[in-house]
Amino acid sequence: MTLRFGYGTNGFAGHRLDDALGVLADLGYDGVALTLDHPHLDPFAPDLAARTDDVRRRLAAYGLAVVIETGARYVMDPWRKHEPTLVSDVGRERRVDYLCRAIRVAADLGAEAVSFWSGTVPEGAGPHQAWERLTSGVEQVLAEAQRRDVRCAFEPEPGMFVDTLAGVAELRRRLGDPEHLTVTVDVGHCVCNEPAPPQDRIRDVGSSLGNVQIDDMRPGVHEHLEFGDGDVDLPATLRALCDVGYQGLVSVELPRHSHAAPAVAARSLEALRTAQATALAAEVTG
């Protein structure tokens, strides 16, 4: 089994979206993780349906698959990063609206998943209140996903209310293990914030895995690094993805590398292909 590799458009913030798609297609990527943000398919700008259709045609022309990411930093509030969220004191309905827009875009693009996260709990709000807010918001998002038959994938994010894969499992349990809610694994986050290495956590998630972001990272430090600069065992991680039968995109997540995006994307794809060849060779000899 071979994997399909993508690259996050949040790592191409200095490029027009069509230029970024062209670079990634020329490099040989199989798809993109498209963050809906003001530089790239702004979900709040006019004529969203027409602009989405144009992106759909460009993706088809380049032969690129797509997943939708929703980690835009300032698309809703120019002063506060990521706000409002699903656990904010006020404005949670705006986050739900953003996510529902993302689901409609995903349906129109034929995207493989929509990935999102919880947000950071405000000071003064306890866990009980945070769980109530989160489950209520996710239920609304899933209702839209079910209507559009779009897969959602929930990502644990270091520093947020749901920060580990165990937290995602608890969310799914509280919601009754809904069909349209799967899990996003960010490989670097596993090194940073999980009790076991990425390859083990991927096997733990198993068939619930709906989206993969990949990067390097060091224990306890939430900094997305290029491959080789952290502690990720890339061949072992890719082997685990094959072992669980994951068929979605494996998308490089380097949101702070836009200053050198084409070169970083090229190095990343080379590292992934080399690691995959190593993993496949180990399987044959093993």
Side-chain angles (χ1 to χ4, degrees):
M1 174 181 173
T2 58
L3 299 165
R4 296 181 302 132
F5 299 124
Y7 198 95
T9 60
N10 60 0
F12 271 78
H15 284 67
R16 299 177 185 87
L17 179 56
D18 190 53
D19 290 340
L21 297 180
V23 169
L24 293 171
D26 287 346
L27 287 172
Y29 278 92
D30 301 295
V32 295
L34 172 58
T35 297
L36 300 185
D37 201 355
H38 54 85
H40 299 149
L41 196 54
D42 185 344
F44 298 109
D47 301 320
L48 178 59
R51 290 183 290 112
T52 300
D53 189 60
D54 182 61
V55 172
R56 180 190 60 78
R57 287 185 280 107
R58 299 310 297 162
L59 288 167
Y62 288 125
L64 294 170
V66 63
V67 297
I68 299 299
E69 295 285 348
T70 58
R73 292 185 176 99
Y74 294 101
V75 73
M76 286 187 289
D77 188 325
W79 291 94
R80 299 181 304 157
K81 179 182 176 182
H82 293 324
E83 290 291 335
T85 75
L86 292 171
V87 295
S88 295
D89 287 331
V90 295
R92 295 186 301 278
E93 70 283 353
R94 293 178 57 213
R95 173 62 60 172
V96 170
D97 173 61
Y98 172 54
L99 295 176
C100 287
R101 288 171 185 252
I103 285 167
R104 292 192 287 272
V105 168
D108 290 344
L109 292 180
E112 298 179 5
V114 173
S115 183
F116 61 99
W117 34 243
S118 62
T120 303
V121 181
E123 186 176 351
H128 178 75
Q129 192 173 34
W131 276 119
E132 285 190 337
R133 292 174 179 181
L134 182 60
T135 55
S136 174
V138 174
E139 283 177 339
Q140 296 174 68
V141 174
L142 290 178
E144 183 70 9
Q146 186 169 1
R147 282 193 291 269
R148 306 277 177 168
D149 194 24
V150 169
R151 172 190 291 170
C152 293
F154 199 94
E155 178 190 4
E157 182 80 19
M160 292 191 177
F161 177 57
V162 175
D163 58 354
T164 64
L165 291 165
V168 182
E170 174 63 14
L171 173 63
R172 296 180 75 242
R173 186 194 67 78
R174 287 172 179 256
L175 293 170
D177 292 320
E179 177 185 359
H180 285 79
L181 185 61
T182 62
V183 182
T184 289
V185 167
D186 183 306
V187 169
H189 290 173
C190 292
V191 170
C192 171
N193 210 42
E194 294 282 347
Q199 57 269 30
D200 293 347
R201 300 304 281 132
I202 287 166
R203 292 188 175 94
D204 292 340
V205 172
S207 61
S208 299
L209 185 59
N211 183 46
V212 174
Q213 302 166 353
I214 195 161
D215 45 78
D216 215 336
M217 210 167 281
R218 300 187 185 99
V221 182
H222 187 197
E223 181 183 2
H224 292 250
L225 303 172
E226 288 192 59
F227 301 123
D229 290 343
D231 288 4
V232 169
D233 184 334
L234 202 52
T237 299
L238 300 185
R239 180 70 259 155
L241 290 171
C242 292
D243 288 347
V244 301
Y246 178 70
Q247 297 181 2
L249 285 174
V250 180
S251 300
V252 178
E253 175 80 354
L254 291 173
R256 298 182 181 177
H257 290 68
S258 292
H259 63 284
V264 172
R267 289 195 296 267
S268 298
L269 186 56
E270 181 180 4
L272 288 167
R273 286 174 168 169
T274 300
Q276 179 163 253
T278 300
L280 292 174
E283 179 185 25
V284 171
T285 58

